[in-house]
């Protein structure tokens, strides 16, 4: 009985790890990704594959733009907390550029940023307003949509990273962090959680307090990226 009461409460509050509002979007996205990728590979010509990917990338980007316009019209938009500068929102704004031009150097960077960045958000969602709020749908369209885009590029467009891609992505991330540190200082903000850990449960809780969780994260980024690269490395060896 208590479980059912809690589930009802989660519909109108933040999303709890393992709850139905957490698991269902992931399952739906998984089913959609399999269908979307299989359909594109088997039924679409190359030009059509590019168009489908770009339309989907624009949808992810548009979701973020509309959400921010919506918040501005509500009158409670705050520059110090609401700008799309958190990694996944920032990537959502960039993703139509990648889906339009499909530059390999962008793929090298985005693959690791998206898989590493969204995995944290998918496993430990940080959503202030639960289902059926706009914030709830925006959150899952962005996080799961980014993953679908990069999987599509990998399996349909047959893009694959190199070992050097790990380090390119790492150094690009350092540049992003430096820019966000400057913006945080300018706005007295906490974008990318560089000044304070998120209020919701996250892996950062195991890395100590500030600044130790930042130092620990920096230390494990390259091993984490290498772990992401490992399946690609093994797949290359299997074809030899």
């Amino acid at each position: 009985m208590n479980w059912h009461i809690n589930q009802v409460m989660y519909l109108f509050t933040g999303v709890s790890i393992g709850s139905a509002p957490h698991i269902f979007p992931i399952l739906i996205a998984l089913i959609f990704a399999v269908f979307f990728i299989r359909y594109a590979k088997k039924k679409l010509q190359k030009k059509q594959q590019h168009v489908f990917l770009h339309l989907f990338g624009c949808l992810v980007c548009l979701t973020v733009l509309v959400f921010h316009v919506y918040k501005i019209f509500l009158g409670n938009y705050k520059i110090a907390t609401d700008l799309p500068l958190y990694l996944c929102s920032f990537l959502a704004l960039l993703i139509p550029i990648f889906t339009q031009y499909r530059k390999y150097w962008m793929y090298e960077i985005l693959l690791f940023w998206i898989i590493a960045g969204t995995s944290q958000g998918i496993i430990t969602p940080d959503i202030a307003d639960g289902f059926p709020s706009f914030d709830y749908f925006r959150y899952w369209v962005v996080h799961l949509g980014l993953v679908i885009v990069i999987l599509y590029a990998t399996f349909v467009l047959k893009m694959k990273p190199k070992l050097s891609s790990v380090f390119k992505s790492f150094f690009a991330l350092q540049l992003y962090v430096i820019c966000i540190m400057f913006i945080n200082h300018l706005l007295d903000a906490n974008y990318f959680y560089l000044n304070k850990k998120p209020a919701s449960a996250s892996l950062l809780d195991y890395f100590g307090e500030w600044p130790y969780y930042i130092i620990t994260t920096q230390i494990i980024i390259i091993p984490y990226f290498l772990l992401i690269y490992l399946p690609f490395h093994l797949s290359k060896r299997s074809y030899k």
Side-chain angles (χ1 to χ4, degrees):
M1 183 67 178
N2 289 336
W3 183 86
H4 292 290
I5 294 174
N6 288 336
Q7 290 300 103
V8 172
M9 291 178 64
Y10 290 146
L11 295 178
F12 302 98
T13 60
V15 175
S16 174
I17 297 173
S19 64
H22 177 203
I23 301 301
F24 283 174
I26 298 173
L27 293 177
I28 292 170
L30 180 62
I31 294 169
F32 173 78
V34 171
F35 171 80
F36 187 41
I37 291 171
R38 286 173 61 89
Y39 180 80
K41 288 182 68 174
K42 294 184 176 182
K43 302 294 185 180
L44 301 181
Q45 300 296 322
K46 191 170 185 178
K47 187 175 181 179
Q48 293 174 318
Q49 292 174 347
H50 295 166
V51 170
F52 267 56
L53 176 63
H54 185 54
L55 289 175
F56 187 78
C58 288
L59 172 64
V60 174
C61 179
L62 187 62
T63 301
V64 172
L65 292 175
V66 171
F67 175 75
H68 283 271
V69 171
Y70 168 74
K71 287 205 70 173
I72 291 171
F73 275 110
L74 287 180
N76 59 354
Y77 198 85
K78 298 178 182 178
I79 299 296
T81 58
D82 295 332
L83 291 175
L85 294 177
Y86 291 101
L87 185 61
C88 292
S89 293
F90 179 68
L91 289 175
L93 296 180
L94 291 181
I95 209 67
I97 301 175
F98 169 68
T99 58
Q100 173 66 33
Y101 299 104
R102 301 173 301 281
K103 296 295 185 181
Y104 179 70
W105 67 267
M106 293 189 71
Y107 172 81
E108 290 183 286
I109 294 171
L110 293 176
L111 172 73
F112 297 98
W113 283 27
I114 288 174
I115 295 180
T118 60
S119 59
Q120 164 71 16
I122 292 171
I123 296 170
T124 58
D126 182 14
I127 311 174
D129 300 316
F131 180 87
S133 70
F134 193 171
D135 187 36
Y136 175 85
F137 289 105
R138 186 272 318 169
Y139 186 92
W140 289 117
V141 168
V142 169
H143 285 76
L144 297 171
L146 288 172
V147 174
I148 292 171
V149 167
I150 211 65
L151 290 176
Y152 187 105
T154 300
F155 293 105
V156 178
L157 305 185
K158 301 187 185 306
M159 291 181 164
K160 300 290 188 294
K162 302 173 184 176
L163 180 59
S164 60
S165 305
V166 170
F167 302 97
K168 288 180 184 179
S169 187
F170 173 78
F171 288 117
L173 183 62
Q174 302 314 301
L175 180 60
Y176 169 76
V177 168
I178 291 171
C179 292
I180 295 299
M181 287 176 66
F182 175 76
I183 293 172
N184 281 344
H185 177 74
L186 195 65
L187 300 178
D188 190 24
N190 186 36
Y191 291 111
F192 207 35
Y193 305 116
L194 292 176
N195 295 325
K196 185 180 179 181
K197 290 185 290 187
S200 63
S202 73
L203 293 177
L204 297 180
D205 294 332
Y206 298 97
F207 297 164
E209 297 301 321
W210 186 93
Y212 300 110
Y213 71 86
I214 296 176
I215 297 171
T216 304
T217 301
Q218 288 285 357
I219 292 172
I220 68 172
I221 284 177
I222 288 184
Y224 189 16
F225 282 7
L226 286 171
L227 185 63
I228 294 169
Y229 173 72
L230 182 60
F232 296 97
H233 174 70
L234 294 176
S235 67
K236 289 178 183 177
R237 293 188 62 182
S238 66
Y239 285 111
K240 291 182 179 180

